[in-house]
Amino acid sequence: MGDDLSPAEGVLLVTQTDPGAIAAIRATADQLRQQQVGDTVTYVINRNINFTNICEQHCSFCAFRRDAGDAGAYWLDWTQILEKSQDAVRRGATEICMQGGLNPEAQIEGKSLTYYLKLVATIKQEFPQIHLHAFSPQEVQFIARIDGLTYAEVIAALRDAGVNSMPGTAAEVLDDQVRRVLCPEKIDTATWLEIVSTAHKLGLHTTSTMLSGHIETPSQQIGHLEKLRSLQQTAVQKGYPAKITEFILLPFVGQEAPKSLRRRVGRDQPVLADALHLSAVARIYLGNWISNHQPSWVKLGLSGATEALVWGCNDIGGTLMEEHITSMAGAVGGTFMDVTTLQTAIASLGRPYQQRDTLYQKINQSGLAIV
């Protein structure tokens, strides 16, 4: 496997501009991917449910959020949540991914946690078999703040109600200098890391992400990867019951972002070459500790995501069925991908494909995990 890169070595790799050096980085990442996880490309049949876009925060990159009463503001009711869940199960989903805006009115009897627990129960009472991948570290902090609870109390309650894993979103770039510009009202780096580590201690696996290609520097990109690697090392070395299952690079889509950030970034769509280069460096930097790497077909388009499979990625993501946060930002990749289309994309590389569940267990044709 080789030794872990130092941060300085990581910065050296990500700042390479010579085509020969970049080709060598790609080849190394692809070779590591083959050694660490093999040639099979995995995918998951899942559905996104973004249950509200009403949000108290004003992140500079977000075209999804609305204030209550704004045109386009929405908040799904229990019947709509159940209908979307029923549709997901009918279409073979093994996972529902649920996240939403931070809606201060999302309370039951004055309690935020009670509302979120009812969200979980609405799905899990009807479909106990579905894996519920739900509520980011930001949402955990929001619930804890509203109700005066600890992060551990919120996570344990959600886990006991039926949440099976936590999305590692709201990470953006784990650097407070960047966060002060990009998402000044969001949790700081230390809080994000604390909540994810607490989830691992309490037995909830998480994913990990990075929003790249906006105002961050190469050093800040590698600092982000270093923090994720350290977080995973802690989970493994301390024997926590859960850890990070995957890393997903999320290239910035700025088409509908506020003008101040669009001007600063200077483009509306991701630069594919930059995303592929950073994907390869992430595999080299994290691969000994986080072995599953996924591109975003929503942000890069299916052709870009397929190309990422030879730059260190081994998973092409999920069917999603619907997606609002990135599509409202102006992404070109679409909001739904059927299984056959994903399989065809993988097969175009001459690589085998395999359905998986959220925790990367293989699933057979009858929908059961292969142990």
Side-chain angles (χ1 to χ4, degrees), residues 3-16 222 281 285:
D3 295 330
D4 290 332
L5 292 187
S6 69
E9 290 169 327
V11 172
L12 184 65
L13 289 187
V14 88
T15 53
Q16 291 299 311
I222 296 300
V281 173
Y285 204 89

Side-chain angles (χ1 to χ4, degrees), residues 39 61 120 146-147 179-180 226 368:
D39 282 328
F61 59 88
V120 175
I146 295 286
D147 289 0
R179 298 177 80 79
R180 277 192 286 274
E226 174 64 26
L368 299 173

